[in-house]
């Protein structure tokens, strides 16, 4: 089996409230703001091979055009904020690189009631050292997944466990846009689903 998917670039309008106690002396400790965030072009291609009636193996490639995320400007609604926050401080400079994610996994059909699955994904960091910040974490990630399904006569229960292990980044280069230091992230996610056929 072969598959191909395409997600075009989209821009999401975000809004919120920023706070800065230093501006309290000017009568403006906080300000509403707007920010547009671009989710880049995404292309996925994959293949599945049925080894036999019980075992299926799959391999996917996911290309993300992260280079579309060059800058994320912020528009402050309060006049004091707009006049006193420098542009370089109100704009997130990312300059990310395009990245290719690699995934593979498999499913084993034990019997009519049980299926088990396992997989791995390699996700390279898109951010260069000079723009790494904690607000937009960017590390090379290794993702390990296991899960399975239990099928009854009229229902199905799915369970999945994912562990994301990131490679530590030691940012020593200081730039106008980054936060030097050691950056790492580990995530454990557990999901469950239930379906019923009426």
């Amino acid at each position: 089996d072969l598959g191909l998917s395409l997600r075009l670039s989209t821009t999401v309008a975000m809004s919120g409230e920023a706070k800065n106690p230093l501006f309290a002396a000017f009568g403006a400790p906080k300000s509403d703001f707007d920010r547009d965030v671009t989710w880049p072009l995404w292309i996925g291609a994959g293949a599945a091979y049925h080894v036999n009636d019980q075992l299926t193996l799959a391999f996917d490639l996911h290309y993300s055009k992260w280079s579309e995320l060059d800058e994320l400007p912020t528009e402050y609604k309060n006049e004091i904020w707009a006049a006193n926050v420098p542009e370089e401080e109100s704009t997130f400079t990312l300059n990310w690189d395009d990245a290719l994610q690699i995934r593979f996994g498999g499913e084993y059909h034990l019997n009519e009631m049980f299926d088990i699955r396992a997989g791995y994904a390699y996700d390279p960091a898109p951010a260069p050292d000079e723009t790494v910040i904690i607000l937009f974490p960017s590390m090379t990630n290794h993702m390990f997944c296991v899960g399975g399904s239990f099928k009854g006569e009229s229902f199905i229960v799915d369970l999945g466990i994912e562990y994301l292990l990131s490679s530590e980044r030691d940012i020593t280069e200081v730039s106008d846009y980054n936060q030097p230091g050691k950056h790492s992230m580990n995530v454990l996610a557990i999901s469950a689903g239930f379906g019923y056929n009426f």
Side-chain angles (χ1 to χ4, degrees):
D1 298 329
L2 300 175
L4 180 67
S5 61
L6 171 66
R7 184 180 65 194
L8 299 177
S9 176
T10 58
T11 299
V12 178
M14 303 178 63
S15 61
E17 185 180 76
K19 297 181 180 180
N20 188 329
L22 295 179
F23 282 0
F26 300 96
K30 57 186 179 180
S31 173
D32 293 332
F33 72 87
D34 292 332
R35 179 182 296 133
D36 290 338
V37 178
T38 299
W39 296 106
L41 172 74
W42 182 89
I43 301 174
Y49 176 64
H50 302 279
V51 180
N52 51 47
D53 291 340
Q54 292 178 294
L55 179 62
T56 301
L57 301 177
F59 177 77
D60 294 337
L61 294 174
H62 293 187
Y63 171 79
S64 297
K65 193 170 176 56
W66 290 115
S67 56
E68 295 181 5
L69 274 70
D70 50 356
E71 292 185 343
L72 300 179
T74 303
E75 179 185 354
Y76 292 108
K77 300 300 183 179
N78 184 280
E79 295 180 357
I80 295 176
W81 280 66
N84 290 278
V85 178
E87 182 178 350
E88 61 271 16
E89 294 184 12
S90 63
T91 299
F92 291 109
T93 300
L94 302 179
N95 293 334
W96 283 10
D97 299 319
D98 298 340
L100 181 66
Q101 186 183 96
I102 302 172
R103 304 179 179 185
F104 61 86
E107 178 183 76
Y108 190 78
H109 181 65
L110 287 174
N111 50 48
E112 295 303 317
M113 296 179 64
F114 291 98
D115 295 321
I116 57 174
R117 305 178 189 92
Y120 167 80
Y122 172 77
D123 187 15
D129 285 359
E130 58 267 22
T131 65
V132 172
I133 58 176
I134 60 174
L135 187 59
F136 299 106
S138 180
M139 285 78 71
T140 294
N141 299 317
H142 303 272
M143 291 173 282
F144 305 89
C145 306
V146 294
S149 297
F150 172 74
K151 304 172 186 176
E153 292 185 1
S154 57
F155 69 91
I156 181 171
V157 177
D158 293 308
L159 177 66
I161 301 174
E162 176 182 351
Y163 182 68
L164 184 148
L165 175 65
S166 69
S167 300
E168 184 179 275
R169 296 188 68 172
D170 188 3
I171 308 298
T172 58
E173 176 185 353
V174 179
S175 75
D176 294 333
Y177 311 110
N178 72 354
Q179 294 173 329
K182 295 183 183 294
H183 295 250
S184 65
M185 178 175 62
N186 297 329
V187 178
L188 176 65
I190 301 175
S191 59
F194 178 82
Y196 187 84
N197 296 322
F198 293 95

